[in-house]
Amino acid sequence: PYRLPEDPAAWVAEAGDLAAFVATDAAGTVLGHVAVEAAPGVDHGTGPALQEAWSRATGRPPEACGVVSRLFVSADHRRRGVGARLLERAVGWLEGRGLAPCLDVLPLPDDGALRWYERLGWVRAAELRAHWHREGWPPLVALVLPDDGRPGTG
């Protein structure tokens, strides 16, 4: 997240999650986390616009879309493939249940997340404004993983 929430544990384990996965090292230290959610429960301050963008881009109703959410890797383990492996796990979980993988990103300055997802095959579905957007912030970017796209390593 751009700013750590007041209650990080609640943010990591939201009640609406369908599943969550962690990456650990041999000692059991958590290196990263990713969750998946049902698209109909996600609006991130955009109302129905985010779900509609995913639906248009995938050709599926929101009920047939799943959202990769809250993917993060500890700073000292970035650029080692941990994020890509977590993303691959989340996408595999969604696809195994017939759900189209979707996500959204707020591309802040000096944050390479959007470019990283695009290098891994994700494509832009829409750019949206949320009710919580601040003046000068970039739009929220809705992304989908096409049927022929698959996360690689990064």
Side-chain angles (χ1 to χ4, degrees):
Y2 182 61
R3 284 191 211 142
L4 193 61
E6 287 184 34
D7 184 358
W11 177 79
V12 167
E14 290 189 358
D17 291 347
L18 298 174
F21 308 97
V22 295
T24 60
D25 64 13
T29 303
V30 174
L31 308 178
H33 169 275
V34 67
V36 293
E37 303 175 77
V42 178
D43 76 18
H44 294 171
T46 66
L50 188 55
Q51 295 173 25
E52 291 167 358
W54 289 327
S55 183
R56 276 192 310 275
T58 62
R60 299 183 186 190
E63 297 77 19
C65 296
V67 181
V68 175
S69 181
R70 298 183 314 284
L71 171 61
F72 63 89
V73 175
S74 66
D76 54 341
H77 288 89
R78 292 186 183 145
R79 300 193 182 281
R80 297 182 187 182
V82 175
R85 287 190 299 276
L86 284 166
L87 182 60
E88 186 173 6
R89 178 71 170 108
V91 166
W93 190 94
L94 290 167
E95 290 178 334
R97 284 147 185 83
L99 299 172
C102 306
L103 58 84
D104 61 278
V105 175
L106 180 63
L108 298 173
D110 300 325
D111 175 20
L114 179 59
R115 289 186 309 277
W116 182 73
Y117 285 116
E118 289 177 329
R119 278 196 318 269
L120 295 176
W122 294 77
V123 297
R124 296 180 193 213
E127 294 185 356
L128 307 163
R129 306 286 304 168
H131 68 79
W132 44 261
H133 261 94
R134 296 185 179 165
E135 188 65 33
W137 276 17
L140 188 69
V141 180
L143 299 163
V144 298
L145 186 63
D147 288 338
D148 61 348
R150 293 294 166 258
T153 58

